Amino acid sequence: MRDLDNSYPDLAAMRVEYGAGPFDSEGAPGTGARDADLDENWLAGGWEPLLRHWIEQATAVGIAEPNAMVLATVALSADGTPRPVARTVLCKGLSPEGVTFYTNYDSAKGTQLAAVPFAAATFVWPALGRQVHLRGPAQRVSDETTAVYWRSRPRDSQLSAWASHQSRPIASRAELDRTLAEATERFAGVDHIPVPPHWGGYLLRPDEVEFWQGRQGRLHNRIRVDVDGDTMTVQRLQP
């Protein structure tokens, strides 16, 4: 292990002081005024409208992939020990029922969700000092829902879904390019590429949603929504 010297960043000293964001109290972008304090009343209409509003505001200020979320699943080791696994995916659907993402069912996340059908997802926008965490069961969406989204994907993305055995080892990049060339040739005369049988969507139905807003001195605003059917309980949490 190399000795640390002054050329290395001091990770312990890295910090951002939250509390002044690019929105005024009504959420208008570009004013540079202080972001209004997250309040329990903001959840009066449910968790989904506020999450949608925050994604829209992240989009308005030009944040790249504002719908990106860190998805955590549970992998079971050979002896049955649960181990968390996280990666970033894109949210491709948002409704009062939950958030939707798409993947290869035979991928690591797909096999993990088959064994333990629960997940957690985190949206994080550091430039805005905001995060949203969702936790709950996850289930496959209908074939019809998958087909609708599949038709919206660029052709190159559709071909990649056919070419890649997601999460499995491959000998080289050249081998991956070869499988893509084979898929491209296979569907060369096909106007509408079909959905692969191993590919589709998942709906994460949160029973817990937490909104986080950064504040000065690490005295952040945290509000959690517990969802039980049509019943919603809102609580403020200590940072």
Side-chain angles (χ1 to χ4, degrees), residues 132-144:
V132 180
H133 314 291
L134 304 95
R135 310 173 185 100
Q139 64 187 63
R140 291 188 185 186
V141 303
S142 68
D143 291 343
E144 292 76 14

Side-chain angles (χ1 to χ4, degrees), residues 5 23 39 110 114 123 174 176 217 228:
D5 59 37
F23 300 104
D39 188 86
F123 293 86
L176 184 61
D228 184 6

Side-chain angles (χ1 to χ4, degrees), residues 115-194:
V116 183
F118 292 88
T122 293
F123 293 86
V124 56
W125 308 284
L128 304 182
R130 294 174 176 176
Q131 300 179 56
V132 180
H133 314 291
L134 304 95
R135 310 173 185 100
Q139 64 187 63
R140 291 188 185 186
V141 303
S142 68
D143 291 343
E144 292 76 14
T145 298
T146 289
V148 169
Y149 172 68
W150 175 262
R151 290 193 292 269
S152 73
R153 284 169 64 88
R155 187 177 180 88
D156 285 350
S157 297
Q158 294 177 342
L159 290 170
S160 294
W162 276 100
S164 173
H165 297 285
Q166 190 176 1
S167 302
R168 299 183 187 178
I170 195 166
S172 65
R173 177 71 201 197
E175 180 70 9
L176 184 61
D177 291 340
R178 183 187 65 78
T179 63
L180 176 60
E182 290 175 351
T184 302
E185 181 178 358
R186 175 182 177 182
F187 295 107
V190 178
D191 291 334
H192 303 290
I193 299 174

Side-chain angles (χ1 to χ4, degrees), residues 12 16 27-29 52 55 66 77 128 178 193 213 218-219 224:
V16 172
R52 184 178 297 276
I55 293 174
S77 61
L128 304 182
R178 183 187 65 78
I193 299 174
Q213 181 190 53
R218 296 308 192 250
L219 207 62
R224 186 181 68 205

Side-chain angles (χ1 to χ4, degrees), residues 190-211:
V190 178
D191 291 334
H192 303 290
I193 299 174
V195 181
H198 55 266
W199 192 94
Y202 287 92
L203 173 67
L204 193 169
R205 294 179 175 271
D207 49 33
E208 183 179 313
V209 183
E210 179 184 331
F211 290 84

